[in-house]
Amino acid sequence: MNLFWDWFCYDPQMGAHNLLEPGYNVIRHLLHAQPLLANSLLDFIIRMSAELYPPFRARITTSVTNVLKAISDYSIGSPSTIIEHHMVQKSVRDAFREMFKLPVRAAPPIVATAPTPAPSTPPSELETTPPAADAPLPSGDQSNKPSSKVQPETASVSESVEDTEGCDEKITALLAAIKEEFRDGIESLSAASSADNETRCELTNRLMSSLFDCYELLDGEQIELIAECLLTIFRKQLFSRKPLPDDFTPSLEALDQIFSDPLYVIFRSFCLLPDDDAMRQPMLSLICEMRESGGETATRPSYINYYVAVGRF
């Protein structure tokens, strides 16, 4: 409460914008270190703006809105780095925007570039040179033969479609044996295979929430089935990920890229659990099952250990 009291009572005419920085920096830091706590703080700001003193609700809401503007105006930071962060839950983001009348982030405009005119060719160069007498003339079969350069691309597209269909069939078969409490989360995550990372992170968070809420249903069979589903959904990410180099140096940019990976949400959720949490053992069993089932082969290395290592940052 002390951290955000200055937000609820902020008056731009009185100044004191330097008192706004601690709360902003705490949320920004927690989005990397403890995203669940950061989401709780954002939800706290929303609720307190409405419930701290209902007769002054409009005034408090205006104060927080002015805080967000002052953070940008006085170069403290940018509110969008918090609200648009991929670790902010969609429900919290939408409620924050609605409460403080923040605009929805617009897609970057598409700038049309004028085509570069081709250089004019002198008339003398347009004259065709007659073929040599011993040069073979192109036959009809040769002129109609498709280019070999297009075939690999077509093959890769068909293989991708076949892989997607195979994954969907496998997920459908596994869902039949998975308990209803976990089924919707897995099905939604599987259906969003082509969505952006922000959407997939949100869906992964929802799946983790369903696992946390019904952890007593996570017996050995369910853990094995859910692990197989996750390996199937994230197969391309797991087997295309390069391991961390020996000289890897953590930076905000590198960590932000790692944190935007939906698969990382699983490992981060485990790392944030207290040692005495009842969900810790089922989550550990789930990760171990994914590691064993997605083990290395001669042609397809597994990088489950990559995420386990990154989860310690």
Side-chain angles (χ1 to χ4, degrees):
M1 185 66 178
N2 291 334
L3 188 64
F4 297 105
W5 184 257
D6 294 309
W7 287 37
F8 301 138
C9 304
Y10 178 69
D11 185 352
Q13 297 180 355
M14 300 296 294
H17 56 271
N18 58 311
L19 299 177
L20 311 177
E21 185 174 359
Y24 169 79
N25 284 333
V26 165
I27 296 177
R28 186 171 63 88
H29 172 73
L30 288 177
L31 282 171
H32 293 282
Q34 297 189 32
L36 296 179
L37 182 55
N39 279 273
S40 297
L41 289 179
L42 291 174
D43 183 66
F44 170 79
I45 295 173
I46 297 170
R47 293 178 181 274
M48 291 303 292
S49 298
E51 302 172 7
L52 179 62
Y53 188 55
F56 281 10
R57 173 175 178 171
R59 181 174 178 178
I60 296 174
T61 302
T62 302
S63 295
V64 177
T65 303
N66 289 331
V67 166
L68 300 175
K69 186 176 184 300
I71 288 174
S72 178
D73 291 345
Y74 291 100
S75 301
I76 297 174
S78 174
S80 62
T81 60
I82 292 178
I83 306 306
E84 304 296 344
H85 198 279
H86 59 269
M87 295 303 291
V88 175
Q89 298 173 6
K90 186 177 184 300
S91 58
V92 175
R93 180 185 297 110
D94 293 343
F96 201 93
R97 284 174 176 162
E98 182 179 358
M99 174 66 72
F100 305 113
K101 309 302 180 186
L102 296 180
V104 178
R105 180 174 55 181
I110 300 176
V111 180
T113 56
T116 305
S120 58
T121 306
S124 59
E125 295 183 7
L126 295 176
E127 298 178 359
T128 57
T129 304
D134 56 349
L137 294 175
S139 62
D141 294 339
Q142 291 176 342
S143 60
N144 294 331
K145 184 180 295 184
S147 173
S148 60
K149 295 182 179 179
V150 182
Q151 293 176 357
E153 182 178 355
T154 305
S156 63
V157 171
S158 62
E159 289 176 2
S160 176
V161 173
E162 291 176 359
D163 290 345
T164 302
E165 293 177 352
C167 291
D168 292 341
E169 293 176 358
K170 185 175 182 179
I171 292 294
T172 302
L174 291 170
L175 284 174
I178 291 178
K179 294 187 182 296
E180 185 178 357
E181 288 79 0
F182 312 131
R183 201 175 298 162
D184 290 342
I186 295 174
E187 193 171 9
S188 299
L189 185 58
S190 176
S193 58
S194 59
D196 56 85
N197 274 354
E198 181 179 353
T199 301
R200 299 183 77 197
C201 283
E202 174 66 21
L203 292 174
T204 306
N205 271 323
R206 292 182 185 177
L207 175 58
M208 291 297 103
S209 296
S210 66
L211 297 181
F212 284 17
D213 293 340
C214 305
Y215 71 90
E216 66 277 359
L217 301 177
L218 290 173
D219 54 18
E221 180 184 5
Q222 290 297 305
I223 288 175
E224 183 178 348
L225 292 169
I226 294 173
E228 188 64 28
C229 285
L230 292 174
L231 287 173
T232 303
I233 293 171
F234 296 116
R235 185 181 63 169
K236 290 184 179 180
Q237 290 174 256
L238 282 171
F239 300 120
S240 63
R241 175 72 65 184
K242 296 180 180 180
L244 292 174
D246 295 335
D247 58 347
F248 174 75
T249 303
S251 64
L252 287 179
E253 182 179 359
L255 293 178
D256 188 67
Q257 183 178 4
I258 293 172
F259 293 158
S260 65
D261 196 318
L263 183 58
Y264 177 76
V265 174
I266 301 171
F267 296 87
R268 189 62 178 171
S269 299
F270 169 72
C271 293
L272 293 176
L273 289 172
D275 292 340
D276 57 349
D277 196 297
M279 184 59 193
R280 189 173 180 84
Q281 184 58 46
M283 280 295 296
L284 182 60
S285 300
L286 177 64
I287 293 174
C288 289
E289 182 64 32
M290 292 176 65
R291 182 177 180 274
E292 294 297 327
S293 300
E296 294 186 351
T297 64
T299 59
R300 192 175 62 178
S302 171
Y303 295 116
I304 294 291
N305 290 336
Y306 167 91
Y307 290 96
V308 175
V310 173
R312 293 198 295 263
F313 287 124

